[in-house]
Amino acid sequence: EMLNASSADENAADQFAYISDLDYDKVDSFFLSYAKEGTADEIAVVAVKDENDIDEAKQSLETHRQNRRKLLDQYEPEEVKRIDDGLVFAKDQYAVLIICDDASAVKAAFEKAIEQ
């Protein structure tokens, strides 16, 4: 089961701080889906207001991924490979983190969705 958070939520800035240390004023919107049971599964999409901030947004998601790796290495070591196989990338104004069983399929679906 997955839980969700987004920029539409009342406490959006606090929820965003879980996945990124990017200044929230630079964020146009974000979406986060994460596993309820504490597995590695996470999908995060951050849309920045200014494309000049995209590299910083992408790096913040990579830092989050590495921090999750360190945490799960201690508590759920079987989940570490899934984090290592995850993806962090940027496309247009979006920085994206994908940690799931078929990250490449999710990436392809995301890219198709933003092209429309």
Side-chain angles (χ1 to χ4, degrees):
E1 183 178 353
M2 300 293 280
L3 301 174
N4 299 305
S6 77
S7 49
D9 295 341
E10 188 174 305
N11 58 343
D14 292 336
Q15 292 177 331
F16 181 76
Y18 166 74
I19 60 166
S20 176
D21 61 0
L22 181 69
D23 183 343
Y24 193 66
D25 289 337
K26 296 179 179 183
V27 176
D28 180 54
S29 61
F30 81 94
F31 173 81
L32 170 65
S33 184
Y34 57 97
K36 179 180 180 181
E37 299 301 320
T39 60
D41 298 279
E42 286 187 351
I43 297 174
V45 179
V46 177
V48 293
K49 292 176 183 175
D50 182 342
E51 284 190 36
N52 290 323
D53 296 321
I54 197 63
D55 289 338
E56 183 181 0
K58 178 183 169 191
Q59 183 56 51
S60 75
L61 292 179
E62 180 59 40
T63 299
H64 171 74
R65 182 169 80 130
Q66 294 306 318
N67 290 340
R68 292 270 298 152
R69 186 187 194 290
K70 290 175 191 171
L71 178 70
L72 289 178
D73 192 36
Q74 296 175 24
Y75 299 103
E76 299 286 343
E78 64 279 358
E79 293 290 313
V80 170
K81 179 170 180 359
R82 298 178 75 223
I83 293 172
D84 290 343
D85 291 343
L87 302 172
V88 175
F89 64 95
K91 176 104 171 143
D92 301 328
Q93 76 182 85
Y94 303 100
V96 182
L97 164 73
I98 302 171
I99 300 171
C100 64
D101 289 331
D102 194 349
S104 60
V106 174
K107 179 181 181 185
F110 170 80
E111 290 176 334
K112 184 176 180 181
I114 64 169
E115 289 175 3
Q116 297 177 357

